[in-house]
Every structure is written in C-alpha cells, then in structure tokens.
Amino acid sequence: MENFTKKTAERLNIYEGVRRSEELPFRNNEEGAESSNAVSFDDKVMFTEKLKKLSLPALAEFVDLIRGMSLRAVKDVNMKKLQIRVDDLDKDSFMKLTEFLDHRLSSEAEMAKKLP
C-alpha cells in the first residue's frame, strides 16, 4: 500500500519536496465553502502516512475515536477490514485526529527509546 501511495504521489508530482499549492475542499461542503473548511491534499497524504505507522492498540483507539466523530467517514469492508474516508471528515475532526496521531506516534517513539 505504501508503494502504491508513493508511486501515485510521484506521478502527481507531490512527493519529496514538490508540493501542490491548491487546497481541495471537502466533498460534503457546500460549493461556497472555500479554504477555511478545506484541508490540503498534502495534509491528507501525511495523515494517511502517519496512520500507517500506528501500533495495533493505537489503531484500535483511533478507530473508536473516528467512529465517535463521524460514522460517515468509516465504512466496514468486511469483518477484518474497514475503510477510512479522509475526504468525508470535517476540518475540525481532521485536525483533532491529526493531533491524536501526532501524540500517539511521539509517545510510541519515546517508549521505543526507553526499551533496551
């Protein structure tokens, strides 16, 4: 999955320092909504990359958190898989989930440093 994301990003010229400047509005916003309710494509890519780095307990906590925020953004694919639709999150939820990811990843990194 990571290779697919990188290849797609490279094809779109957004990876490794080349960034897209425009912001993409959420699909669930009205047409008049501009950048105040938009999250950039780069932020969405970073969000998914951080999500891939979570440990299983943190990932389970993340799923509970996102289900509490937006049921529309989570789709059960089967008993073992679910799909998270980042585009269906409102900006506030996106920011709160990003803070959660940053906090959990930094605490997991600290725990890893303490282990011999």
Side-chain angles (χ1 to χ4, degrees):
M1 183 68 177
E2 185 176 350
N3 286 336
F4 175 77
T5 304
K6 286 181 181 177
K7 287 178 184 176
T8 303
E10 288 170 356
R11 224 178 38 225
L12 296 172
N13 294 325
I14 56 157
Y15 205 72
E16 298 297 327
V18 180
R19 302 178 70 84
R20 292 172 54 161
S21 60
E22 72 270 11
E23 291 187 345
L24 303 173
F26 288 107
R27 281 190 254 158
N28 59 352
N29 286 344
E30 297 177 15
E31 288 197 26
E34 290 293 321
S35 63
S36 64
N37 288 330
V39 176
S40 71
F41 181 78
D42 293 333
D43 289 340
K44 292 177 185 179
V45 170
M46 293 301 295
F47 180 86
T48 57
E49 292 297 323
K50 290 176 185 178
L51 190 56
K52 292 175 189 177
K53 295 177 184 178
L54 281 183
S55 65
L56 288 178
L59 189 57
E61 190 177 343
F62 177 84
V63 169
D64 290 339
L65 184 63
I66 195 171
R67 280 195 170 144
M69 290 181 173
S70 175
L71 288 176
R72 185 174 51 192
V74 180
K75 177 184 176 186
D76 291 315
V77 176
N78 60 36
M79 292 294 288
K80 294 183 179 182
K81 292 184 181 181
L82 61 91
Q83 179 182 21
I84 297 172
R85 299 180 197 173
V86 179
D87 290 335
D88 289 343
L89 290 169
D90 61 76
K91 186 171 184 174
D92 291 336
S93 297
F94 182 87
M95 297 309 290
K96 288 177 185 175
L97 291 168
T98 300
E99 288 176 21
F100 171 83
L101 290 173
D102 291 339
H103 174 72
R104 287 303 298 237
L105 288 173
S106 65
S107 64
E108 288 177 1
E110 288 295 321
M111 294 290 284
K113 287 180 183 177
K114 292 180 180 179
L115 293 176

